[in-house]
Amino acid sequence: YAGKIATARSPEPAAPQNRRLGITVSRRIGGAVVRNRVKRRVRECFRLAMRPHLAQGVSVVVIALSGAGELSGAAINAELLTATLKISEKAASR
């Protein structure tokens, strides 16, 4: 899934009971404070909104794109929830 602020993908399946999250935020996004804020918001979205929609054993890698540092938590949540639903559909069809 490639959105406006993040690219999310599901690599090879993880252990059967684990749902995992990987986050990459480069220095192009902003300084350390901005990068850490984006990572905190993505982790919170994963904890609250993404995890219940993911099947067991699915790993998600989120790569923040330019502009992600200026978005609110709600905008990040909406984008990542859309990505999660698409990843879940794709994983279910495997």
Side-chain angles (χ1 to χ4, degrees), residues 11-76:
E12 295 299 318
Q17 68 274 26
N18 294 337
R19 295 179 195 119
R20 300 185 303 178
L21 174 67
I23 305 169
T24 301
V25 183
S26 72
R27 282 192 276 177
R28 288 184 290 165
I29 302 300
V33 173
V34 174
R35 292 192 314 267
N36 288 329
R37 183 181 310 125
V38 169
K39 288 189 270 187
R40 280 194 310 269
R41 287 178 175 169
V42 170
R43 279 193 296 267
E44 186 69 6
C45 177
F46 181 76
R47 187 177 71 82
L48 295 176
M50 293 170 68
R51 188 176 293 176
H53 295 286
L54 290 174
Q56 294 290 342
V58 174
S59 298
V60 176
V61 177
V62 176
I63 303 168
L65 302 175
S66 60
E70 292 118 28
L71 293 174
S72 67
I76 291 174

